C-alpha cells in the first residue's frame, strides 16, 4: 500500500514537471542529486532501491541551518545562564559563568572543553524532559541571531528544505544526524524541517525515570551519554536507524565518517558536502574555522565521489 | 497527504466490516482496544489524536512471541557457544562455557548474572554488525523450540499480529520496545511483525567505527551500553522515539514502567498486559516465574485502568 502511494506521489510530482529544486542552480551538485534520485526510484532498473531502504541523513549545524559565528545551541546555553543566574548567586564569581554574565565570551570559552561541558550541564540538565522541551520551544520562538537579526529558524537553508521535500516525495525517510543535542533539535524540527522527533539522532545526556507525586517523569542528568559526532555518527545511525543510509549530507569534518559509512555501501550512494563559500549572503569558512571546520572532506571529496556544493555558485537563494 | 491516505485506509477497512481482530474473543480486552482505537481516530472528537502522535509500543518476549522455558535469545547464545567452541579450546574446561558444551544448563546458569553476561559477550560481541546480522538471520531461519518443534518465528502470537496490523491500518506507528538485544530482533522483525529496524528499541552493547582494508565497519564490543528493561524502557522510548506512546503492550513486570509512562500522559491511553494463563496451548506462569515474572502488574492493573488479557479466555487462537 505504502509503496503504491509513494509511486503515485512520484508520478504526479514528475508529471507536473515543476523543478523540485528551484533554489539550486543547474550545476553539478543539482545534477548529481537528480541523477541519484532517478537511479534509485526507477523501477526495474539495476539501481532501483526499495522504499524501505531509502534512508537519507542530514547533519544539522551548517548543513540545514547556520552555525556562525557560534552554534545556535551555544546561544541557547548562554541565554540559559542569564535566565538561571538568580537561582545561582555563586555564578557571579565563578568561571565560566561569571564571564558569560559579564558578556565576555572570549574568557568564557577560554576554559576549553571542560568549561564548555560545565556550561552545557548547568544549562541543559536538572529539569524533566518535558520542562526542557518547553524551555527550548519558548527560546527558539523569540531568540534572534546577533548579526542578522533573524530568528534562528529563519536561518535554515532554502535549497536544503527543497531537497528534504524532494527526497520525501520520492519515498525517502529523512533523518537529522547532528552533533548537537537531540533534545535541543526535536522540539522544532518537525515544524521547520518536516522531520519528526523519532527521526532526529543527536548527542545526548543521560535521563532517569522517576515517579514524582504520582506523576512519571524523565529527569535530565548532568552526565554525557553519547557524542554523536565524527566516528560517533555511524554508531548513532546504526543504533537508531539500524540500516545504512544511501544518501548523506554534511558540511564539516564532523560529518566525514557519516559520509564514508553511507557511501561505503553497495549500490547507488550519494554523499554531499555543503561548502560555505558565500561571505556576502552567509559566511565563508572552511579549513581554519573553529566551528564547522572542513579540511579532510575538501581534500578527499573528489576521490570519494562526493559532491561539493559551493553555496555561492550552486545556490541562487540561501534563506527562505 | 499522509493523513488523507490513512483516512482512506481506515474508511475502506471499516467499510469492509471485517473483524480486524478475529483471534480475539469478544471479551473485555478486545472491547477496550476497539473502543480506544475508535476514540483516537474519530475526527472532531475530544479524544482524537493526530496520526503523528499515534505511537504504540510492544514488548517482545512473552508479548509478541513465546519466552518459555527460556528467552529465545538465550537459545541463540547457547547455540553460538557450540558454534564458536572449536575456536576456543579453553572453553572445554572453563565455566560457564564448559557446562553449556556438556548440555548442563542448570550449572551454566548457576553463576548468576555474571555468568550470563559472560555468555552474552562471548557470543554477541567481536563481530561486525553486518556479520552479527547474518548470524542471527541464519540461526533464526532453522532453529526450533525444544518442546514444540516449531521455528521460533512460528511461535509469535496471532492475536498480536492482528493487533499490530489493526493499529497500523489506523495510522499508528508500531514499535518493539524489548529488554532483548536490539540487534537480535531487527534482522527478522520486519518480515515477521511488519516492524522495520528503525522501529525496534532494545538493549545494546557498544559498537566502534573502524575502517578495515578501506571498508568501513561497526565492530561490536564486549561492553554493555544500555539495558532496555524496567525503568530503562521509558528512557529507551524517549531516547529513540522522542514522544510518549499513547498505547503500550507488555506481559511482565519488566514492562511496568513502560505502561506507567504511557498511560501517565494526558488524553486517551491504552495499557494492556498479556497474562500467560494457558498451560495447554502455551505456558501458564506469572508471579513465581523466573522468566517473564508478572506480579506488581497483576496487583495494580485494575487500579491503573490497564487491561489484562487472559490468553486462555480472551484468545481463540495462539499461533498463526
Amino acid at each position: 500500500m505504502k509503496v503504491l502511494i509513494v509511486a503515485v506521489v512520484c508520478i504526479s510530482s514528475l508529471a507536473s514537471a515543476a523543478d523540485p529544486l528551484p533554489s539550486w542552480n543547474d550545476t553539478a551538485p543539482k545534477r548529481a542529486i537528480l541523477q541519484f534520485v532517478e537511479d534509485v526510484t526507477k523501477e526495474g532498473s539495476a539501481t532501483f532501491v526499495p522504499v524501505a531502504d531509502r534512508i537519507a541523513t542530514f547533519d544539522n549545524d551548517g548543513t540545514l541551518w547556520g552555525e556562525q559565528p557560534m552554534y545556535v545551541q551555544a546561544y541557547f546555553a548562554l541565554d540559559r545562564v542569564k535566565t538561571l543566574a538568580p537561582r545561582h548567586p555563586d555564578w557571579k564569581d565563578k568561571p565560566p559563568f561569571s564571564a558569560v554574565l559579564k558578556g565576555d565570551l572570549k574568557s568564557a570559552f577560554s576554559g576549553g572543553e571542560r568549561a564548555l561541558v560545565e556550561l552545557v550541564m548547568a544549562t541543559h540538565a536538572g529539569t524533566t524532559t518535558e520542562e526542557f522541551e518547553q524551555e527550548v520551544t519558548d527560546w527558539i520562538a523569540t531568540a534572534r541571531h546577533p548579526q542578522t537579526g533573524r530568528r534562528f529558524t529563519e536561518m535554515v537553508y532554502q535549497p536544503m528544505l527543497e531537497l528534504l521535500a524532494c527526497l520525501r516525495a520520492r519515498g525517502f525517510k529523512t533523518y537529522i544526524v547532528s552533533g548537537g543535542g537531540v533534545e535541543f533539535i526535536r522540539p522544532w524540527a518537525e515544524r521547520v524541517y518536516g522531520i519528526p522527533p523519532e527521526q532526529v539522532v543527536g548527542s545526548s545526556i543521560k535521563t532517569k525515570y522517576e515517579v514524582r507525586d504520582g506523576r512519571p517523569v524523565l529527569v535530565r542528568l548532568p552526565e554525557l551519554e553519547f557524542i554523536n559526532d565524527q566516528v560517533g555518527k555511524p554508531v548513532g545511525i546504526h543504533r537508531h536507524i539500524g540500516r545504512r543510509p544511501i544518501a548523506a549530507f554534511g558540511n564539516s569534518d564532523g560529518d566525514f565518517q557519516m559520509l564514508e559509512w553511507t557511501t561505503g555501501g553497495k549500490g547507488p550512494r550519494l554523499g554531499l558536502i555543503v561548502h560555505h563559500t558565500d561571505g556576502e549572503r552567509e559566511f565563508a569558512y572552511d579549513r581554519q574555522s573553529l566551528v564547522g571546520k572542513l579540511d579532510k572532506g575538501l581534500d578527499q571529496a573528489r576521490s570519494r565521489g562526493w559532491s561539493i556544493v559551493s553555496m555561492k555558485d550552486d545556490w541562487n537563494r540561501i534563506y527562505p
Side-chain angles (χ1 to χ4, degrees), chain A:
Chain A
M1 183 67 193
K2 201 173 171 193
V3 177
L4 271 179
I5 291 159
V6 169
V8 169
V9 172
C10 277
I11 291 160
S12 52
S13 75
L14 291 177
S16 76
D19 181 351
L21 303 174
S23 301
W24 293 68
N25 292 328
D26 188 22
T27 46
K30 178 175 181 169
R31 280 182 228 141
I33 292 168
L34 293 178
Q35 185 63 53
F36 169 78
V37 168
E38 193 186 316
D39 288 346
V40 302
T41 55
K42 197 169 179 180
E43 292 208 45
S45 75
T47 54
F48 179 76
V49 175
V51 165
D53 291 320
R54 293 184 201 160
I55 305 283
T57 53
F58 291 79
D59 169 58
N60 185 42
D61 297 309
T63 299
L64 294 180
W65 75 354
E67 62 181 356
Q68 291 287 356
M70 209 164 68
Y71 293 124
V72 178
Q73 195 171 354
Y75 288 110
F76 170 74
L78 298 181
D79 281 352
R80 288 284 299 157
V81 169
K82 290 170 200 158
T83 305
L84 294 171
R87 279 190 255 164
H88 300 270
D90 58 313
W91 283 0
K92 211 157 40 79
D93 307 304
K94 187 182 171 191
F97 304 99
S98 49
V100 172
L101 293 172
K102 283 179 204 133
D104 179 4
L105 295 190
K106 203 165 179 178
S107 300
F109 291 125
S110 66
E113 198 178 327
R114 198 179 140 187
L116 205 63
V117 168
E118 205 174 347
L119 275 174
V120 169
M121 291 313 168
T123 53
H124 285 65
T127 58
T128 69
T129 53
E130 283 172 337
E131 287 162 354
F132 187 74
E133 184 183 342
Q134 193 59 53
E135 285 161 10
V136 172
T137 303
D138 292 346
W139 181 83
I140 204 95
T142 56
R144 289 175 186 273
H145 190 275
Q147 294 171 11
T148 68
R150 285 171 177 259
R151 290 211 174 82
F152 292 108
T153 49
E154 294 165 350
M155 293 179 69
V156 297
Y157 304 134
Q158 175 64 21
M160 297 305 280
L161 296 182
E162 292 167 7
L163 178 55
L164 285 166
C166 166
L167 291 174
R168 285 196 292 260
R170 283 146 186 87
F172 279 80
K173 253 189 192 173
T174 53
Y175 284 83
I176 290 173
V177 175
S178 172
V182 60
E183 300 292 308
F184 178 72
I185 302 169
R186 280 175 165 166
W188 49 269
E190 188 149 33
R191 173 174 59 85
V192 174
Y193 299 134
I195 295 180
E198 61 268 30
Q199 284 164 227
V200 180
V201 183
S203 297
S204 54
I205 59 176
K206 293 195 175 171
T207 63
K208 183 170 174 271
Y209 184 74
E210 274 182 24
V211 179
R212 285 184 178 173
D213 306 324
R215 219 180 123 252
V217 294
L218 290 165
V219 181
R220 291 169 57 79
L221 305 180
E223 197 180 338
L224 274 176
E225 183 179 67
F226 186 67
I227 302 286
N228 192 59
D229 199 29
Q230 302 185 15
V231 292
K233 288 208 173 186
V235 171
I237 286 170
H238 186 73
R239 179 160 74 170
H240 195 106
I241 307 176
R243 338 191 193 226
R244 202 190 287 222
I246 62 168
F249 306 87
N251 76 298
S252 80
D253 284 351
D255 305 312
F256 189 90
Q257 287 84 0
M258 173 170 77
L259 267 74
E260 181 176 61
W261 172 243
T262 299
T263 60
K266 282 176 199 152
R269 304 277 157 164
L270 180 65
L272 185 145
I273 293 174
V274 175
H275 188 192
H276 291 263
T277 51
D278 197 329
E280 202 166 309
R281 294 185 301 172
E282 207 244 1
F283 298 90
Y285 59 98
D286 46 37
R287 297 182 194 273
Q288 306 301 324
S289 182
L290 278 175
V291 168
K293 177 180 174 178
L294 175 65
D295 187 38
K296 194 175 166 189
L298 272 186
D299 290 338
Q300 299 196 21
R302 181 181 292 264
S303 67
R304 289 175 178 267
W306 302 341
S307 294
I308 293 195
V309 170
S310 163
M311 287 174 75
K312 182 175 176 160
D313 305 311
D314 298 321
W315 287 359
N316 59 56
R317 192 172 170 176
I318 305 283
Y319 302 125

